Amino acid sequence: MNPDMEIELILYGIARDIVGQPRLKMEIQEGTTVGVFLPQIKSSYPEFGNLKSLLVAVNDEYADNDYMIKAEDEIVLVPPVSGG
């Protein structure tokens, strides 16, 4: 079993509203990919499951599901954006 590591999420818009704060620290297993992380955050905050989309940006770029999260990464949850 891999050791835990702490990450900090940056939250905007509805993601911030769901969590109730602009940043969130979480413990995840070292070696966790975005594809594994997304179901974990949705389990901790079920309202994320109601969103049409929820993307993850890592270090200012959208991350694929196979991207392995590192402790030093800047991670942003990107909720759906509406506008006109």
Side-chain angles (χ1 to χ4, degrees):
M1 184 172 204
N2 292 333
D4 287 340
M5 66 178 184
E6 186 175 79
I7 60 168
E8 184 175 39
L9 304 173
I10 301 169
L11 309 163
Y12 295 111
I14 190 74
R16 181 181 56 221
D17 295 341
I18 288 171
V19 173
Q21 56 193 15
R23 292 180 179 262
L24 176 66
K25 291 189 180 197
M26 288 184 65
E27 291 274 328
I28 63 171
Q29 292 289 312
E30 193 169 319
T32 296
T33 62
V34 168
V36 170
F37 168 73
L38 276 173
Q40 290 175 348
I41 191 76
K42 289 177 181 179
S43 174
S44 296
Y45 296 91
E47 288 182 63
F48 282 131
N50 297 331
L51 300 178
K52 285 185 179 182
S53 68
L54 183 64
L55 300 175
V56 176
V58 178
N59 304 323
D60 296 323
E61 292 187 18
Y62 288 111
D64 293 330
N65 282 340
D66 59 351
Y67 179 84
M68 192 176 303
I69 298 170
K70 297 181 255 345
E72 65 274 8
D73 286 338
E74 179 181 84
I75 303 165
V76 178
L77 289 185
V78 183
V81 177
S82 62

